[in-house]
Amino acid sequence: MKSFALLAVAQLAAAHSLFQQAGSGSKDFGSTCIRMPPNNSPITDVSSPSLTCNTNGATGVAGLCEVSAGDPFHVEMHAQPGDRSCASPAIGGNHFGPVIIYMAKVDDATKASPSGLSWFKVDEFGYDAASKKWGTDLLNDNCGKREFKIPSKIPAGDYLVRAEAIALHAAGGVGGAQFYTACYQVKVSGGAGGQLPAGVKIPGAYSASDPGIKVDIWGNGFKEYVIPGPKVADQSFF
């Protein structure tokens, strides 16, 4: 029994993952602009400051990922630090759940604190009942990558891009959801807009009892999924 329990713990740990790299189109930024999580362990407290940019995510790094407004941008997740292999799942172990992307305007992305920022949602994928695919399934199908569009009608300047995957395999009770988050430091040029989409505070946007956070995805009654947080920014910003 003891060996079985140890094996189960090892399998769960192996299923943990972290965002590590980024790119835009054919350009690979690697890990130059990410505030790298210290390990692949999740955040489970929706009120924790670490929910924003993960543990140690309040400290900036030297690098910036430079893109133009309207460009594609992708974040990239893998199970182990430094691993970019497509041979293994980006996030395995039945860690099914949504993938969500936020952005927040800052003065200097290499120094900005994530605390108190206004985060607007630019992309999300929850659950498609027809295909029975989750956002995390799409990460696995695309070698860990989730691509989205940088809004074309936002002010030029520095931003933090927040990537989030929420694993719901044990989310039937409060505190069971696992949040895998990280923030990227991005400089956007050529923005055509002078205003930002409405934003939310993180932490603050989620409650532990939200239907997209406390949810039994294994029950016979599960048919649809409600993605937590605000709606994606209006298409007029894209």
Side-chain angles (χ1 to χ4, degrees):
M1 288 295 291
K2 183 177 180 180
S3 61
F4 178 80
L6 290 173
L7 177 60
V9 170
Q11 288 175 333
L12 285 173
H16 292 174
S17 297
L18 67 163
F19 288 101
Q20 303 182 55
Q21 297 90 13
S24 178
S26 61
K27 186 171 184 178
D28 180 18
F29 293 118
S31 301
T32 57
C33 70
I34 187 173
R35 298 183 176 187
M36 186 70 75
N39 53 53
N40 65 358
S41 295
I43 309 300
T44 57
D45 180 358
V46 297
S47 65
S48 170
S50 295
L51 183 70
T52 316
C53 293
N54 211 308
T55 306
N56 297 335
T59 303
V61 296
L64 285 168
C65 291
E66 298 191 22
V67 296
S68 296
D71 279 354
F73 190 86
H74 65 259
V75 296
E76 187 174 336
M77 168 177 270
H78 294 283
Q80 299 299 325
D83 178 21
R84 300 188 80 176
S85 171
C86 301
S88 55
I91 179 167
N94 291 330
H95 281 42
F96 301 121
V99 176
I100 307 170
I101 310 292
Y102 293 86
M103 295 178 66
K105 183 76 175 66
V106 295
D107 292 332
D108 182 345
T110 66
K111 298 178 181 178
S113 168
S115 176
L117 297 178
S118 179
W119 296 92
F120 55 95
K121 189 184 286 185
V122 294
D123 183 59
E124 63 182 14
F125 190 98
Y127 176 71
D128 179 67
S131 64
K132 300 189 183 303
K133 289 274 190 178
W134 288 93
T136 51
D137 289 320
L138 299 188
L139 289 180
N140 292 333
D141 291 345
N142 291 283
C143 195
K145 297 180 177 70
R146 176 65 186 180
E147 184 174 90
F148 62 97
K149 182 181 178 181
I150 299 291
S152 59
K153 296 180 181 178
I154 56 173
D158 284 14
Y159 289 81
L160 294 182
V161 171
R162 178 182 180 270
E164 175 179 57
I166 309 175
L168 302 171
H169 57 291
V174 170
Q178 297 180 354
F179 299 81
Y180 297 88
T181 68
C183 288
Y184 298 81
Q185 301 173 173
V186 177
K187 181 177 286 294
V188 177
S189 62
Q195 293 185 335
L196 293 167
V200 296
K201 304 299 183 185
I202 302 175
Y206 299 162
S207 167
S209 59
D210 284 346
I213 293 174
K214 180 182 177 294
V215 55
D216 179 8
I217 66 172
W218 308 109
N220 292 331
F222 179 78
K223 295 180 179 179
E224 61 180 345
Y225 175 71
V226 180
I227 301 173
K231 294 181 179 179
V232 171
D234 188 83
Q235 283 300 304
S236 62
F237 287 97
F238 293 86

